[in-house]
């Protein structure tokens, strides 16, 4: 209808509730990695998890792909480690600590 305002149909909430989320397990840090080099804490990871799409929230194990402390100062190594994830339906979070000690993160989804 030309000139009228569209009113969407009334919808009710889905009766299907998502399953409860199990606590996250952060994998990949070696035992001798200093706590100050571990940029991702469980608390921060749980907050980031809630920003992810539901299908990614169900994943309860997060794996470290690259760490400056553990893998050295090589951008090539970081790219190589990330390339192994190409083509998979997953997501990742890039966490960066600046010279002043500030920590930033950027979630990225792979569809």
């Amino acid at each position: 209808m030309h000139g009228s305002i569209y009113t969407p149909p009334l919808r009710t909430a889905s009766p299907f509730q998502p399953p409860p989320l199990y606590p996250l397990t952060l994998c990949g840090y070696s035992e001798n990695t200093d706590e100050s080099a571990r940029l991702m804490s469980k608390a921060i990871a749980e907050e980031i998890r809630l920003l992810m799409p539901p299908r990614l929230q169900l994943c309860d194990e997060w794996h470290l792909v690259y760490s400056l402390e553990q893998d050295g100062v090589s951008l090539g190594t970081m790219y190589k480690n990330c390339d192994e994830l190409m083509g998979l339906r997953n997501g990742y979070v890039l966490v960066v600590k600046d010279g002043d000690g500030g920590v930033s993160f950027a979630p990225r989804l792979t569809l």
Side-chain angles (χ1 to χ4, degrees):
M1 304 190 122
H2 197 350
S4 64
I5 297 175
Y6 172 74
T7 304
L10 181 62
R11 296 186 179 161
T12 59
S14 171
F16 301 106
Q17 296 298 317
L21 298 177
Y22 292 101
L24 280 176
T25 302
L26 300 179
C27 307
Y29 284 119
S30 61
E31 290 181 18
N32 59 354
T33 299
D34 190 65
E35 285 296 320
S36 65
R38 297 178 183 212
L39 303 184
M40 179 72 76
S41 69
K42 271 185 118 172
I44 291 173
E46 290 287 2
E47 288 184 35
I48 294 170
R49 181 188 204 182
L50 297 176
L51 302 173
M52 299 288 194
R55 73 175 173 83
L56 293 177
Q57 288 180 15
L58 295 176
C59 178
D60 57 1
E61 278 190 3
W62 287 17
H63 297 270
L64 180 66
V65 174
Y66 174 83
S67 165
L68 185 69
E69 180 80 15
Q70 293 177 196
D71 298 307
V73 185
S74 171
L75 195 57
T77 300
M78 185 182 82
Y79 287 142
K80 180 182 139 309
N81 293 357
C82 291
D83 276 347
E84 295 171 7
L85 301 174
M86 293 300 289
L88 302 176
R89 291 184 53 146
N90 57 22
Y92 61 88
V93 179
L94 177 66
V95 182
V96 179
K97 184 174 185 178
D98 64 26
D100 294 328
V103 177
S104 301
F105 67 89
R108 172 103 168 114
L109 307 176
T110 306
L111 301 174

